[in-house]
Every structure is written in C-alpha cells, then in structure tokens.
Amino acid sequence: MIADSSADPAALRHLSLDGQSNGSGSDSEDCKILKWNLPLKELYKMACSFYKEKSGKAIHLSYEDNLKLVAFTQQAAHGPLDLEKAPQLGMFDVIGKDRRMAWQHLGTITKLQAMEGFIDLLDRLCPLFKPFVEAIKKDREEKVRQAQIDEARKRELLEKEKEKLAELKRIEDEKNREEIQRRQLQDALNQQTYHQFKEYAEKQFPGNPEQQAVLIRQLQNEHYHQYMQQLQAQVASNYSQMKTSLVENNQTATDNNLEDTNDGQLEYQEQEASAKECSQTEFKEQCESDDESGANMWTKPDIKLFKQEVTSGKGDGVIRVSHGDTVTVRVPTHEGGSCLFWEFATDSYDIGFGVYFEWGKPTSTEVSVHISESDEDDDTLDDDEVCVEDLESGGQQQSKPQYTSSSSLVNRNPISIIVPIYRRECQTEVYAGSHSYPGEGTYLLKFDNSYSLWRSKTLYYKVFYTR
C-alpha cells in the first residue's frame, strides 16, 4: 500500500475546487469550475502535457510519485476502479499491480477531484509547473490585450472614416445649396431681363431664332456676373463704413477715458508692486525661520520610483489621509542617531506639511501614526502651547510654557516649531528634508489635509536617522 496524504480518499472527497461544486454535474457546470483562475479541465490538460513532456528530462520523479500521478490520470479518465471489469494481470506484471493498487487506493473520488489531485501533486513535486502555467496565462492575456488594442484601432479608424465621409457630405451639401441658390437668383434675373434681351436679339438676328437664343443666354450670363460684382462691392462698402464708424466711436470713447485709464493703471501697478514686496518679505521671513531651526528642505524628481519603493515595502508606508483630517507621524530620537531625514509624496493633490519637536525623553522607540479630525484637539497646537525658544540650546534649557486653556495641557512637554505647516506641491515631485537632533525628544511630522472639504489624499512617506 502507498501511504500519502494526497491520495487519502477522505481528504480528496472534501476538496473545495475554489468554492465550486465537486459533483458530477453537467459539462456546462464543469466548465465553470476554476483553479488558479483557469478552468479545471483546461489546467488538467496543461498538467498532463507538462508531465509527459518533462518527465525524465527536466523533472525526475520517484517510482512511487509516478504511481500516484498515473493513478490520478486513470481515475480522471475512467472513474473509480471496477475490479470486475478490469482485465487480468500477469503473474510477473509487478508494475501493473502497483499501478492498480495506487488506483484502487483513490477510492470513490470523482473525476474532477482526481484532476485536481493530479495538479496539486505535480505542483508539489515539480516547482517548474506553476511558472509554466503562469507563462501560458500571461501569453494568453497578452494576446487578448493585443486583440483589444487592434479592435480599438479598427474602431478608431472606422470613426475617423465616418467623420471624413460626414465632412465630405457636408461640403457637398454646402456646394449643392450654394448652386441651388445661385440658380434661383439667376432664374429670377433672367425672368426680369428676358423680354428686353429678346427685343435686342430680334434686332440683331431677325428671322434666326437659334442665334437669338444664343445671344439671349450670353446677355443673361453677363448680366448675372455684373450683378454679383455689384452686390459684392456694395457689401464690402457697407462693411468698410461700419468699421470706420466703429473705430471713430471707439476712438472718441478712448480719448474721453484716457486719463481715467492711466490713473487706474498707475494704481494697479502700485498695488502689484506692494503685493510683490509683501510676498517677498513673507518668503524671506519663512526662509530665515527655517535657517534658524536648522532644517533643510529639498525636492527630488524621481517620484514614481519613490512610490514604488514605499509600496513594495522598502519604505515606511502608505497612509490614506481623509478630507478634513491631520496625520501626525511621531518619530522618537534614537540613541545612536544625530540627524533625522524625511521624504514624502502624494497622488494627484498637494498636502500641508510641517515639523514640530516635543522635548522630553520619549516613552517609546517605535514610530507611530496618529490621525485626528479637524474638529478634534488632540494634536492641535495653539500659539500659546508652542515653545519658540532656540532649538539648539538643548531640551534641558527649555522652560515649559504656561498654559491657560485647561489643566490637562499643563503636563505636556514643551513643543518647538522646526518647519511651519505649509501646503506642498508633493504630487509632482518628492519633498525631502533633514534636521539635526536638538536634544532628546520626539519629532512630530504633521501632514495636514484639514483644508480639504472633499478630497482624500494618498500619502507615501519614509523617515530614517543617521549617526
């Protein structure tokens, strides 16, 4: 007897086949049974083909493993072994007896269960089988994708062809409409001048109706062209008069308002210069604040590579910052470190960012993430709660600020601003920065989305220290 858990009938009777029924069922129901996201029967054919092609070449199985695989194929092809219908074996047919014993050991499992048992056993015995199947799946998916691309191109070409035909039809209809209008106008002119031109033609060619008709047509065509030239000249003259009148009116209005316009331009220029000077002053103050805190900020263009590294687990992580929320990443100072570095980026939209420092010995060495809504006050720092003294003087020289809001805030450690919270365009490039440890404490990296009423932001970030 062959002892192997994969051939245990009791175990094989309970195979789930990826959540589908294992009953005999109809062929249409059998086609719906999936394994590895492929129809079971199709996957079984792949497994048999792989086994026949690679056995003894790329894979070398033991005699007992081959017996199990052959027994599964017999069960899948013929169902449970019926000893009464089975042919007699020779006395010296040892291999035949072993195969029949392995087949009989499968018991009454169904053909579909036998197929799955063959696939699972082959996958366990040969690590190359699953990559073989994945390569086939990938090739099929690529063919399907290429077919979809070709179909989309065909549809696009058909749409362009339809648009081209529609444009040609529109042009043709426009020409036909213009021709109809021309003929109607010419017919109206011919009716008005027919009798006059007929009298003239009778005088020129008396007794010759054919020559008279030719002369009448010539006179009518010449009259039509003269009429059209006069009409075009009249339209051009009217347009020129209207344009001249409009220019004169505009010139009069311009002369009347010239002084007011000059005054308005001077006032606008003064306001623009004042706003520019104010903006430059604010930017200068911000830079000076960053220099005093000792923080350095820069950007990197390889945002796509950075997101891939964080997503693949090579960075700290990915956070979903909901609209109206603020995420605080608490990074304690490390005993062996001297400088903190941070990098972050977002998808599609900007986000507010700032760095604070909480003095005092950290209670934990682990980096933690805290999320607060806009109406919560857990991580909110008021002006009277922030210590604005020199960061480089060390934590022991910092004096705790006096709080007046509530008694619970009195026990907080003093907090200093390293980088004020400003909105950063981190959806286009990676924002990075560093700060040398001012002492012992905890860095508070704040990602502020409280200003957004509707949009949530996906945040990618990394933090690390150097000695």
Side-chain angles (χ1 to χ4, degrees), residues 184-196 220:
Q184 291 177 349
L185 178 59
Q186 191 171 7
D187 291 342
L189 292 175
N190 291 342
Q191 289 179 3
Q192 293 177 0
T193 59
Y194 176 75
H195 296 289
Q196 180 181 357
Q220 287 177 339

Side-chain angles (χ1 to χ4, degrees), residues 323-353:
H323 56 85
D325 287 355
T326 298
V327 170
T328 302
V329 179
R330 299 179 61 89
V331 185
T333 56
H334 197 275
E335 293 180 358
S338 62
C339 185
L340 177 72
F341 285 80
W342 60 83
E343 296 177 352
F344 66 94
T346 57
D347 283 340
S348 304
Y349 305 105
D350 63 348
I351 197 168
F353 173 76

Side-chain angles (χ1 to χ4, degrees), residues 47-283:
C48 291
S49 176
F50 177 83
Y51 173 69
K52 291 177 182 179
E53 180 181 352
K54 304 296 183 180
S55 180
K57 300 176 183 178
I59 58 177
H60 300 277
L61 304 177
S62 65
Y63 177 72
E64 293 184 355
D65 291 335
N66 279 312
L67 286 178
K68 298 173 189 176
L69 291 173
V70 172
F72 277 124
T73 59
Q74 293 294 329
Q75 189 86 357
H78 307 290
L81 175 63
D82 189 350
L83 295 175
E84 296 179 358
K85 297 180 180 180
Q88 295 293 329
L89 297 176
M91 183 179 300
F92 300 102
D93 190 359
V94 179
I95 296 177
K97 292 180 180 178
D98 290 342
R99 289 182 177 179
R100 182 165 295 183
M101 185 178 299
W103 184 5
Q104 184 178 7
H105 186 66
L106 295 179
T108 59
I109 65 172
T110 65
K111 294 181 178 181
L112 296 178
Q113 291 172 335
M115 293 178 186
E116 188 177 20
F118 180 86
I119 294 168
D120 291 337
L121 181 57
L122 184 62
D123 179 41
R124 189 170 73 252
L125 296 176
C126 181
L128 298 177
F129 174 58
K130 196 162 188 177
F132 169 79
V133 175
E134 293 295 334
I136 294 177
K137 286 174 57 179
K138 188 175 182 180
D139 182 64
R140 290 182 180 180
E141 291 172 357
E142 181 63 23
K143 289 181 179 179
V144 171
R145 188 185 69 83
Q146 189 62 38
Q148 292 175 348
I149 293 175
D150 294 340
E151 185 67 22
R153 288 177 179 174
K154 289 181 181 179
R155 288 198 299 267
E156 185 178 357
L157 291 175
L158 289 175
E159 290 295 330
K160 289 183 178 179
E161 188 67 21
K162 289 181 181 179
E163 292 177 358
K164 185 177 181 181
L165 292 176
E167 182 65 17
L168 292 175
K169 187 176 183 305
R170 186 190 66 79
I171 295 174
E172 187 67 22
D173 293 342
E174 185 69 21
K175 290 181 179 179
N176 293 336
R177 185 166 59 253
E178 291 178 355
E179 182 64 19
I180 292 172
Q181 292 177 352
R182 186 191 67 79
R183 289 180 181 180
Q184 291 177 349
L185 178 59
Q186 191 171 7
D187 291 342
L189 292 175
N190 291 342
Q191 289 179 3
Q192 293 177 0
T193 59
Y194 176 75
H195 296 289
Q196 180 181 357
F197 292 157
K198 184 179 180 182
E199 292 177 0
Y200 178 77
E202 288 175 350
K203 292 179 181 179
Q204 296 295 324
F205 301 100
N208 192 346
E210 294 181 358
Q211 291 292 334
Q212 292 175 9
V214 171
L215 180 60
I216 290 173
R217 284 196 297 271
Q218 291 177 352
L219 293 173
Q220 287 177 339
N221 289 334
E222 184 177 355
H223 178 260
Y224 170 76
H225 291 300
Q226 290 178 354
Y227 176 82
M228 293 301 296
Q229 290 176 357
Q230 292 176 359
L231 182 62
Q232 291 176 359
Q234 183 178 359
V235 171
S237 177
N238 293 338
Y239 176 76
S240 178
Q241 291 178 0
M242 291 174 60
K243 185 176 181 181
T244 302
S245 176
L246 182 62
V247 169
E248 291 177 353
N249 293 336
N250 290 339
Q251 184 65 34
T252 302
T254 301
D255 293 339
N256 293 335
N257 298 325
L258 181 60
E259 183 177 357
D260 295 338
T261 302
N262 290 335
D263 294 341
Q265 289 179 349
L266 291 173
E267 182 179 357
Y268 173 76
Q269 292 175 356
E270 291 176 356
Q271 292 177 354
E272 185 178 10
S274 176
K276 186 175 181 181
E277 181 180 358
C278 180
S279 176
Q280 292 176 349
T281 302
E282 292 178 355
F283 179 77

